[in-house]
Amino acid sequence: MINLFEYKNKVTFPEEHFENLEMFLDDIWNKREKSVYYTEEENREEVQRFLQFFHKTNELKSNKFVGVIHFQEQTINLLPKIFHCNEDATEDDVKVINAHVLWWLSYCRKLKFPNYLSGINSEKADFFEILIYLFSKYTKELLSSSIYQKYVEVENELNFVKGRINFNSYIKENLARGRNHKVNCTYDSFEMDNEFNQCIKYVSKILLSASKDYQNKRNLSDILFLLDEVSDIQISSEQCKRIQFNPMFSSFETVRDYCVLFLENSISFNYKSDLKLFAFLLPMEYVFEDFIYGFIDREIEGVNPKGQATGTYLDEANNFGLKPDLILDLGYKKIIADTKYKLVYSDDTDPKKGISQSDLYQMLAYAVRFGIQEIKLFYPNSVATELQPEVATIEIIDTLANEKQINITAHQLPIIDKSITVANLKEHDKMLDCFEGLRGELKRRFEEIFDF
């Protein structure tokens, strides 16, 4: 197992597989689903951005993605940089990191997690295997109790009239051939062979070929057995996103969200005809932004967050769009909040406190165009440094707007609990119970920031 932290450590990779790995990642990059997880520039880029390759030394270094790559019997874990502490990560460390990532994802808008999340960390250190476990266990239990069926338009030859008669087909195929008793009909039939079940079957087959865990393989095989009568059709994430359910089938939305997550961020295919490869990768910047949005939306009363507001431009020709991560409506005032997945510090010798000048210019543009004078920058804490609740306060006087004062404050948020160990994870039936203390601490921190 190889562990790489974003932009941090380098690891030597076997020379005989080095170039093949780079070609494999290039293929993944070009075949991936274009989604909100990638910027416009990245969606145009043709060379992979997952790893840096140092050909002279045969070393690898991670970029901004977290997840897992399976290649040549090797598992490469890409881990968040905020957990890096200049020491090699052990298997237990990886389990704790994975637990934190799953806790963050549980608040993300793009994925609804099932409510049990039990028994997954004591055995599985692979982030990807944990996600497969959650998907396969929940989906198997749901399909065992009720398989989703819906009305689908069907064309068929019948001995009686059902629905409407397809006269063109009836005349050409039956009446002209003396088969008057066979009637071509088009009707609605309550079928299990529908787009949603086809999507589950397609995703389950991908995951079955990629998983190495016995329990996961068994769950996925059971799902495929239950959907044996469903057609084998390749489904895209966009098709999966468009599937809607009425309130009676709301439990199936969780399965759909898992399918979208896997289809948008994973690639599985046969490389050089005989080698099965897989990668599941998420940009950590997006995960952090989505986690903060979801946490405020669900945990902080009195704050109405709006994410990625569009329609505002910096220039009058509407060429340069402005999209702050969050606009927070507190009722009596509005605040612009921007998440910065970067390492900052509180150092009396550095007046900038690690805050980049470009970030400051960006916040000033937001304040001017949105007419909001209070800006919050949210940074994550890290295992290598002590939490600094308020990193910096910056005041800017706008001389072009009657000396209005713009207040920009940078806050470090507690999203890591250093006290959690593998033993703690094993003690709880529900994994998320381990994070109750961290949830309370983060909630209190936001209440202090918003003066509640």
Side-chain angles (χ1 to χ4, degrees):
M1 183 183 292
I2 294 174
N3 297 318
L4 289 172
F5 292 87
E6 302 167 276
Y7 301 110
K8 295 295 182 179
N9 60 317
K10 296 179 184 178
V11 173
T12 302
F13 197 74
E15 184 177 359
E16 62 270 23
H17 303 312
F18 194 79
E19 289 188 3
N20 284 341
L21 175 61
E22 188 170 18
M23 288 189 289
F24 163 56
L25 292 180
D26 280 337
D27 282 338
I28 285 181
W29 182 263
N30 291 309
K31 291 179 181 179
R32 76 194 190 285
E33 294 267 0
K34 303 297 188 293
S35 72
V36 294
Y37 292 102
Y38 303 96
T39 64
E40 291 182 10
E41 180 185 349
E42 287 171 339
N43 280 330
R44 291 193 299 268
E45 184 65 51
E46 295 183 0
V47 179
Q48 65 89 19
R49 298 281 189 90
F50 302 125
L51 297 178
Q52 298 177 44
F53 286 79
F54 298 90
H55 292 270
K56 290 184 179 180
T57 57
N58 290 329
E59 290 181 310
L60 305 175
K61 189 175 182 179
S62 174
N63 284 331
K64 68 174 185 178
F65 294 86
V66 296
V68 64
I69 299 170
H70 290 170
F71 184 85
Q72 289 285 3
E73 302 302 319
Q74 283 271 23
T75 297
I76 305 174
N77 288 317
L78 306 184
L79 306 170
K81 62 188 175 186
I82 56 178
F83 286 96
H84 186 253
C85 58
N86 298 319
E87 295 180 6
D88 292 336
T90 64
E91 187 173 320
D92 284 352
D93 292 334
V94 174
K95 290 179 181 178
V96 173
I97 293 171
N98 288 335
H100 278 82
V101 174
L102 288 168
W103 182 63
W104 300 335
L105 287 175
S106 71
Y107 282 96
C108 288
R109 293 163 290 175
K110 297 296 180 184
L111 180 67
K112 298 181 180 69
F113 268 53
N115 57 13
Y116 50 85
L117 294 175
S118 59
I120 59 176
N121 290 291
S122 58
E123 300 173 0
K124 300 175 176 62
D126 190 321
F127 168 73
F128 171 63
E129 296 289 2
I130 293 172
L131 284 176
I132 294 181
Y133 175 85
L134 296 174
F135 165 77
S136 63
K137 188 173 189 293
Y138 182 82
T139 305
K140 176 187 170 183
E141 291 176 357
L142 187 61
L143 295 180
S144 296
S145 60
S146 62
I147 294 179
Y148 178 72
Q149 292 180 284
K150 64 178 290 188
Y151 282 102
V152 177
E153 191 174 82
V154 176
E155 293 184 11
N156 209 348
E157 283 188 0
L158 303 173
N159 293 322
F160 52 89
V161 176
K162 184 177 181 180
R164 65 180 187 274
I165 299 174
N166 190 336
F167 284 101
N168 288 334
S169 298
Y170 176 63
I171 293 171
K172 290 179 183 178
E173 298 174 11
N174 292 328
L175 191 62
R177 299 178 182 179
R179 301 171 69 240
N180 304 22
H181 61 291
K182 290 290 184 180
V183 183
N184 297 74
C185 297
T186 300
Y187 57 92
D188 289 333
S189 178
F190 202 52
E191 298 281 340
M192 66 176 289
D193 190 8
N194 53 66
E195 193 174 47
F196 176 63
N197 289 333
Q198 291 164 2
C199 183
I200 298 175
K201 189 171 185 179
Y202 175 60
V203 170
S204 297
K205 282 194 167 185
I206 291 177
L207 299 182
L208 181 62
S209 66
S211 177
K212 299 178 182 178
D213 183 83
Y214 170 76
Q215 185 61 52
N216 287 347
K217 285 180 173 289
R218 184 171 179 177
N219 287 341
L220 292 167
S221 297
D222 289 343
I223 292 171
L224 293 174
F225 175 77
L226 292 169
L227 299 178
D228 184 58
E229 297 179 19
V230 175
S231 303
D232 290 308
I233 296 176
Q234 183 171 336
I235 303 288
S236 70
S237 65
E238 288 302 319
Q239 288 175 276
C240 194
K241 283 179 187 177
R242 289 195 293 267
I243 298 173
Q244 300 295 324
F245 302 94
N246 66 42
M248 288 180 60
F249 298 103
S250 59
S251 55
F252 287 100
E253 291 179 355
T254 299
V255 178
R256 179 201 60 200
D257 293 337
Y258 270 117
C259 289
V260 170
L261 182 80
F262 285 119
L263 291 173
E264 280 193 331
N265 301 286
S266 59
I267 295 288
S268 178
F269 62 96
N270 286 313
Y271 185 68
K272 295 191 174 179
S273 300
D274 60 350
L275 183 63
K276 198 73 178 177
L277 307 168
F278 190 90
F280 178 87
L281 301 160
L282 288 168
M284 193 57 214
E285 292 173 353
Y286 182 88
V287 173
F288 178 60
E289 175 197 326
D290 217 24
F291 164 68
I292 297 302
Y293 177 99
F295 191 92
I296 293 174
D297 190 37
R298 286 161 55 178
E299 301 287 354
I300 311 300
E301 295 182 9
V303 180
N304 181 25
K306 182 180 180 182
Q308 295 283 331
T310 58
T312 302
Y313 296 85
L314 184 62
D315 63 321
E316 295 303 317
N318 293 348
N319 292 321
F320 299 92
L322 295 176
K323 286 200 304 181
D325 291 342
L326 295 170
I327 294 180
L328 308 175
D329 188 349
L330 278 63
Y332 63 96
K333 67 176 179 179
K334 290 185 178 181
I335 297 173
I336 289 178
D338 219 57
T339 57
K340 300 296 180 185
Y341 181 64
K342 300 175 181 179
L343 298 176
V344 292
Y345 50 87
S346 182
D347 186 350
D348 293 336
T349 62
D350 180 10
K352 294 183 180 179
K353 312 296 184 185
I355 299 171
S356 73
Q357 200 147 325
S358 60
D359 287 344
L360 204 58
Y361 292 156
Q362 183 185 18
M363 295 307 104
L364 184 58
Y366 289 160
V368 170
R369 273 289 174 257
F370 284 87
I372 296 175
Q373 295 172 251
E374 191 171 347
I375 310 288
K376 304 291 185 185
L377 294 174
F378 293 142
Y379 295 87
N381 68 326
S382 68
V383 298
T385 58
E386 293 299 320
L387 177 66
Q388 301 290 336
E390 187 169 311
V391 179
T393 300
I394 301 165
E395 296 178 355
I396 300 172
I397 303 297
D398 187 353
T399 57
L400 295 177
N402 299 322
E403 304 294 320
K404 282 188 177 179
Q405 182 173 301
I406 299 170
N407 297 308
I408 301 174
T409 52
H411 304 271
Q412 201 175 42
L413 302 176
I415 68 167
I416 297 174
D417 188 344
K418 299 179 186 179
S419 66
I420 293 179
T421 64
V422 170
N424 299 138
L425 297 174
K426 292 180 179 179
E427 288 171 1
H428 293 82
D429 292 332
K430 294 183 179 179
M431 184 201 74
L432 297 189
D433 289 348
C434 291
F435 294 91
E436 278 301 301
L438 186 57
R439 183 185 71 85
E441 184 183 357
L442 182 55
K443 187 175 179 179
R444 288 190 296 273
R445 184 73 196 104
F446 275 125
E447 290 171 350
E448 291 172 4
I449 292 170
F450 301 139
D451 296 324
F452 286 170

